[in-house]
Amino acid sequence: MDVFDIIGPIMIGPSSSHTAGAVKLGNVARILLGSEPAKATITLYGSFAKTGKGHGTDKALLAGICGYTMDDAGIKTVFEDCPFEYEFKYEENSDYHPNTALIELSDAEMSVKMRGASVGAGRIEVQEVDGMEVSFSGDFNTLIIFHSDRRGIIARITTWLSENGINIAFMRVFRLSKDDKAVMVIETDQKVAGYKILESFQDGLRVEYYENTHARNA
Amino acid sequence: MRTHMHETLRVMREAIAAGLSDKDARSHSGMSGGNACRMKSFIDSGSIEDNVYNRATVYALATSETNANMGKIVAAPTAGASGILPAVLIAFSELNRVDDERVVDALYLTGDIGMKIAKTASLSGAECGCQAECGSAAAMAAAGLAFLMGGTYEQSENAAALALKSLLGLVCDPVAGLVEVPCIKRNATGTSVAITSANMSMAGIESVIPFDEVLVAMKQVGRTMPEQLRETAQGGCAVTATGMRIARSLGLKQRRGDESGTFVRE
């Protein structure tokens, strides 16, 4: 925590959890797709569903998917300016965290499904990606690596990071089942450049990278 | 870092200006807007004095209305309580020609006070009620103002203790769950608590309970506060006859057989 967590962030109102955090959830979903979406389907749960319209949560999520930052005045008019097709759904009763959104994005080739919660003061937790339970906050620079569960792939990737001067702050691996689809989430202390080379390490492996632009010490 | 604090101060001023730029602007819900301009006109007409109390009232209303209307603000410490701190510091610095470097120093000091509150107690309405949001903001503003008035760090902390004690137990009960009623006017009245606390501290009046212990009290009060009064829109102003009527008119209805005031979309 630093002084700008208290006197800040600079953001579009009215709510750090229902507006600023929602933008960040949209930002991460956009990164996970890795390209400009052709279509977005956004489901708001719990408190997001109940008070989301009044808090502009719907606009904030969509603006995040469009790549806006939480202090972008364009958030207010994103419904008119959004370049792709979008749809909202509302589920008031759920067992999820009260401020949860499910974001499904697709382009011509692929799709991604992300569920995350805005946990207060503009902070988020991504909880599910393509049916796999994950957990990361976007407080760090984050590599999200979609791969197949095979022996040795984790070692190859972490070796590459080490050789390129990257220290891993946190790392977790999730898989659907043995030898099946898996996702590796690596949060790093440094910015990561040239990470696309990791895609040559395994057939069908895909790497996306979320850079925490709000980290003032990075 | 210091450049970023100057930028922060600039956004605070812009948020005030935005709130005063259009007297007809209304929030999405239609519940709020226009009151900053109304208060300013009252001062401009000469009906009340243009002093730090009244100018801070206008500025707090302006920032909070900008926030409700999806404008750009600085969360200080939260978006819902973003009106108080800039209102007090900017109103005082305008009336007393304080230069920006000193206001930036004051902002750093208030950040320090806020971090102490976050560490021992909380800055979240969902966790500890509005005492954690408007209460914390008023405490930070009181500390910053004492500093601008030439006070020592001890006088600033004492001012923060006086302000926070006055707002202990304040509940978070937003109508329809939106950051508008009673939040915006609580920001306005929160400025007077901050200013009076700073003035008392500078006069040499000491808080019997020291700042650190007030924080422990705040946490304890927050812990014992029922969930209905912690940002769930299930208690206080939110479940008054008028509060419920407004919520219904916004397309929220009371869950069948649920007397707690939980709303669902129709």
Side-chain angles (χ1 to χ4, degrees), chain A residues 169-180:
Chain A
F170 298 97
M171 170 168 176
R172 292 178 74 181
V173 186
F174 312 84
R175 66 177 187 188
L176 278 182
S177 60
K178 191 171 181 312
D179 297 332
D180 203 344

Side-chain angles (χ1 to χ4, degrees), chain A residues 8-9 11 13-14 49 55 71 92, chain B residues 67 69 71-73 75 177 264-265:
Chain A
M11 56 170 275
H55 281 129
D71 64 344
E92 282 163 16
Chain B
N67 182 56
N69 201 16
K72 192 192 286 191
I73 55 97
V264 294
R265 184 174 302 283

Side-chain angles (χ1 to χ4, degrees), chain B residues 13-55:
Chain B
R13 289 202 173 103
E14 283 174 3
I16 291 169
L20 289 167
S21 66
D22 180 4
K23 69 177 169 52
D24 298 318
R26 292 293 178 273
S27 65
H28 183 272
S29 72
M31 274 195 288
S32 58
N35 283 333
C37 290
R38 190 167 283 123
M39 194 70 203
K40 184 168 188 300
S41 303
F42 193 51
I43 297 174
D44 290 347
S45 71
S47 304
I48 55 171
E49 201 185 326
D50 184 12
N51 60 22
V52 64
Y53 280 98
N54 294 329
R55 200 180 278 205

Side-chain angles (χ1 to χ4, degrees), chain B residues 22-266:
Chain B
D22 180 4
K23 69 177 169 52
D24 298 318
R26 292 293 178 273
S27 65
H28 183 272
S29 72
M31 274 195 288
S32 58
N35 283 333
C37 290
R38 190 167 283 123
M39 194 70 203
K40 184 168 188 300
S41 303
F42 193 51
I43 297 174
D44 290 347
S45 71
S47 304
I48 55 171
E49 201 185 326
D50 184 12
N51 60 22
V52 64
Y53 280 98
N54 294 329
R55 200 180 278 205
T57 306
V58 172
Y59 288 177
L61 288 169
T63 300
S64 294
E65 286 181 351
T66 298
N67 182 56
N69 201 16
M70 291 192 79
K72 192 192 286 191
I73 55 97
V74 180
T78 63
S82 60
I84 298 172
L85 176 64
V88 170
L89 299 191
I90 292 171
F92 180 86
S93 60
E94 283 175 359
L95 290 163
N96 295 279
R97 299 204 168 81
V98 180
D99 79 77
D100 277 5
E101 290 299 330
R102 210 165 145 68
V103 182
V104 163
D105 286 340
L107 285 172
Y108 274 105
L109 181 140
T110 64
D112 189 55
I113 295 290
M115 271 190 266
K116 285 186 175 168
I117 301 174
K119 215 169 150 193
T120 306
S122 169
L123 299 173
S124 153
E127 224 176 310
C128 279
C130 192
Q131 58 169 355
E133 299 211 18
C134 286
S136 299
M140 289 157 63
L145 181 55
F147 171 81
L148 290 182
M149 293 169 80
T152 61
Y153 188 83
E154 287 66 34
Q155 282 169 312
S156 283
E157 223 177 51
N158 184 58
L162 292 168
L164 202 46
K165 272 196 308 182
S166 302
L167 295 169
L168 274 190
L170 192 63
V171 302
C172 181
D173 52 351
V175 169
L178 302 177
V179 192
E180 297 187 50
V181 178
C183 324
I184 294 174
K185 286 157 197 150
R186 260 183 208 161
N187 273 266
T189 52
T191 61
S192 337
V193 172
I195 296 163
T196 302
S197 300
N199 285 341
M200 285 198 291
S201 186
M202 293 308 290
I205 298 172
E206 279 182 30
S207 173
V208 173
I209 314 295
F211 182 61
D212 293 350
E213 291 183 38
V214 176
L215 296 185
V216 174
M218 176 179 168
K219 178 80 179 177
Q220 190 255 333
V221 168
R223 280 224 173 115
T224 50
M225 196 180 273
E227 200 190 335
Q228 285 90 331
L229 301 173
R230 287 185 281 120
E231 213 179 328
T232 53
Q234 294 177 2
C237 290
V239 295
T240 56
T242 301
M244 308 266 274
R245 182 173 50 71
I246 292 170
R248 272 194 300 275
S249 74
L250 291 172
L252 301 167
K253 66 175 182 187
Q254 199 175 2
R255 210 184 292 280
R256 199 188 304 272
D258 184 349
E259 301 306 315
S260 70
T262 305
F263 293 105
V264 294
R265 184 174 302 283
E266 245 163 356

